[in-house]
Amino acid sequence: MSDGHRRAQTAIQTILRLTNLLMAGKRVAVIGDEPELAARLRAMGAQTLLTDPAAALQGHRVLAEDEAVALADLVIGATEAHLPLLRDGAILIPAAPPAGPSGTGEPSGTGELSGTGDPRRADGGPPAGPSGTGGGTSGAGGVLAGLPGVRVRDGITGYRLGPSREVFVLDMAC
């Protein structure tokens, strides 16, 4: 089994375990180069939204990144720049960090689509918890580091982005 297959299967199993979602009919934006993950989600009935024009050859819907994020129910590979575009109730899985603590280029954690990396703040302090003052990991790593979140349940943190906009972030390390 190749590394791409293994990462895709682990990511899907974690998403299903944490959310208990039925993928059929869900609009899923896959940001970045994850062809195996997109193919597996599409096979499960999800409407996959990708940004790579070559993905159209595999049956995925190709959109500009901003459009894909704005339409998606589930966004995989989200960054801080995507926050204003997310719709109410969207579930996001943060992008994996570029390099691990050793500087080897490997993502920190288990090598899968963890998206969280080291939960410590840049100043080395404890991670921001639901109160924003430290405590437990917020589940979003650097994507929503400045916002206080409310732990919905293990592995899921909710963030209010506005008066009528709330998004949920999955902690793929769970």
Side-chain angles (χ1 to χ4, degrees), residues 72-167:
D73 301 311
L74 174 68
V75 180
I76 299 172
T79 63
E80 194 169 343
H82 297 122
L83 289 179
L85 305 171
L86 293 170
R87 54 188 280 165
D88 183 39
I91 299 170
L92 73 106
I93 299 166
S102 63
T104 61
E106 290 294 321
S108 47
T110 60
E112 291 131 19
L113 294 173
S114 66
T116 57
D118 186 7
R120 296 200 165 272
R121 296 188 316 236
D123 63 1
S131 66
T133 59
T137 167
S138 65
V143 175
L144 298 168
L147 295 173
V150 176
R151 184 177 176 179
V152 177
R153 65 179 189 188
D154 284 344
I156 302 177
T157 306
Y159 293 89
R160 188 155 303 279
L161 298 180
S164 63
R165 281 185 51 220
E166 185 173 27
V167 297

Side-chain angles (χ1 to χ4, degrees), residues 9-120:
Q9 187 62 34
T10 301
I12 288 174
Q13 286 176 335
T14 305
I15 292 167
L16 294 176
R17 182 175 47 80
L18 291 174
T19 64
N20 206 22
L21 283 176
L22 178 64
M23 287 295 155
K26 296 284 187 248
R27 291 176 299 235
V28 181
V30 180
I31 310 300
D33 187 28
E34 292 290 342
E36 290 295 329
L37 181 59
R40 287 174 185 253
L41 289 166
R42 185 169 181 269
M44 295 173 71
Q47 298 174 22
T48 51
L49 311 172
L50 282 80
T51 57
D52 180 18
L57 298 173
Q58 283 84 37
H60 303 290
R61 187 172 171 195
V62 177
L63 296 169
E65 192 171 297
D66 293 350
E67 289 180 68
V69 170
L71 289 174
D73 301 311
L74 174 68
V75 180
I76 299 172
T79 63
E80 194 169 343
H82 297 122
L83 289 179
L85 305 171
L86 293 170
R87 54 188 280 165
D88 183 39
I91 299 170
L92 73 106
I93 299 166
S102 63
T104 61
E106 290 294 321
S108 47
T110 60
E112 291 131 19
L113 294 173
S114 66
T116 57
D118 186 7
R120 296 200 165 272

